[in-house]
Amino acid sequence: DVKVTQSSRYLVKRTGEKVFLECVQDMDHENMFWYRQDPGLGLRLIYFSYDVKMKEKGDIPEGYSVSREKKERFSLILESASTNQTSMYLCASSLEGAMVKNIQYFGAGTRLSVL
Amino acid sequence: QKEVEQNSGPLSVPEGAIASLNCTYSDRGSQSFFWYRQYSGKSPELIMFIYSNGDKEDGRFTAQLNKASQYVSLLIRDSQPSDSATYLCAVIYSSASKIIFGSGTRLSIRP
C-alpha cells in the first residue's frame, strides 16, 4: 500500500513564526503536492513538484514556499505564519506519467492553528 | 463561476436506496475525472476515476460522465451507513497541468 506520512497531526504556532510541514512517501512517486482544505472551499493546491529540486506554484502559493531535496520528501514552509493560514494541510503523491491519469494518495493531514 | 461545482448538501438518503452525487465543470476540454471519499477528520481516498463518456461500474459504485453536458455523477447503490462521508469531485483540465477539486457533497445515510 502507498503510504504518505505527514510529520504532525496537530500544530499550534504563533503569528510570525516560521513553520515547517513535512511529508514523506514510501512508494517512489515522482509527483508530490501540498493542499490546504477549508470549509466550503474544498481542496486548494498550494505547490506541487514533479521531481527533486523542482517546484511549481499552485493556485494559492502566496505566503508559502516548498523544498524537495529528496524524492521521498516534500516540505511546506510558512515563512511568517499568519492567522489566515490556520487550516488543514494535506500532502499527496502520485506516480509519474501523464497528468491525465494522476491518481493522488493523501496523507492524514496536519491541522495547523496560528494564534 | 467555480471551475468544479458540487452541491454542498447534506444529502440525506435512506439505507438501501441509491445515492446520486453530481458534479459540473467549466473546462470543456477536461480529460480526467475522479471521485474521492473523505470521512470526517480523515484524508480523501480515491473511489473511482473515469476518462471516457458513459458509465463505469465498480461494485456498488457507478461513475457517469457526460462531456457534452460537462457533468460527472457518482451513484451509490444499496447505500450503507458507512457510506456517510463527504464526496469530492476532481477534474484534470485540458492543460493537464493541474487538478481542480470541488468543495464536496456531504452524504448522510439514515438507517
Side-chain angles (χ1 to χ4, degrees), chain B residues 54-66:
Chain B
D55 294 0
K56 179 181 178 183
E57 188 174 316
D58 183 2
R60 295 187 297 114
F61 298 96
T62 299
Q64 299 177 316
L65 176 60
N66 184 324

Side-chain angles (χ1 to χ4, degrees), chain B residues 27-96:
Chain B
D27 183 0
R28 186 168 290 278
S30 295
Q31 302 176 54
S32 306
F33 309 86
F34 305 83
W35 282 101
Y36 286 83
R37 177 178 62 201
Q38 186 174 25
Y39 291 114
S40 180
K42 302 293 185 182
S43 57
E45 56 180 342
L46 181 73
I47 298 178
M48 294 198 65
F49 58 89
I50 185 167
Y51 308 129
S52 305
N53 267 332
D55 294 0
K56 179 181 178 183
E57 188 174 316
D58 183 2
R60 295 187 297 114
F61 298 96
T62 299
Q64 299 177 316
L65 176 60
N66 184 324
K67 289 188 176 181
S69 299
Q70 295 175 239
Y71 79 79
V72 56
S73 301
L74 179 70
L75 301 179
I76 306 174
R77 290 182 300 282
D78 188 24
S79 297
Q80 304 295 311
S82 60
D83 295 326
S84 296
T86 296
Y87 290 80
L88 302 172
C89 171
V91 176
I92 292 185
Y93 272 35
S94 54
S95 64

Side-chain angles (χ1 to χ4, degrees), chain A residues 2 4 52 72 112:
Chain A
V2 175
V4 180
V52 175
E72 67 270 19
L112 173 67

Side-chain angles (χ1 to χ4, degrees), chain A residues 56-78:
Chain A
E56 296 266 354
K57 292 181 180 179
D59 296 318
I60 51 165
E62 297 78 19
Y64 303 94
S65 62
V66 290
S67 172
R68 193 166 182 201
E69 296 295 320
K70 294 184 178 181
K71 189 176 184 180
E72 67 270 19
R73 187 180 297 269
F74 193 35
S75 303
L76 180 69
I77 303 154
L78 286 67

Side-chain angles (χ1 to χ4, degrees), chain A residues 9 33 35 37 40-45 48 50 59 88 90 98-109 111, chain B residues 2-3 31-34 36 38 41-46 49 51 88 92-93 96-104:
Chain A
R9 288 285 280 135
F33 308 81
Y35 297 89
Q37 186 173 31
L41 296 177
L43 284 165
R44 293 181 290 166
L45 182 63
F48 60 101
Y50 288 144
D59 296 318
M88 171 68 86
L90 288 162
M99 187 69 169
V100 294
K101 297 190 176 182
N102 188 310
I103 295 171
Q104 304 202 356
Y105 298 87
F106 288 86
R111 186 166 294 281
Chain B
K2 288 185 179 178
E3 295 171 290
Q31 302 176 54
S32 306
F33 309 86
F34 305 83
Y36 286 83
Q38 186 174 25
K42 302 293 185 182
S43 57
E45 56 180 342
L46 181 73
F49 58 89
Y51 308 129
L88 302 172
I92 292 185
Y93 272 35
S97 64
K98 62 178 182 178
I99 183 168
I100 307 292
F101 284 84
S103 56

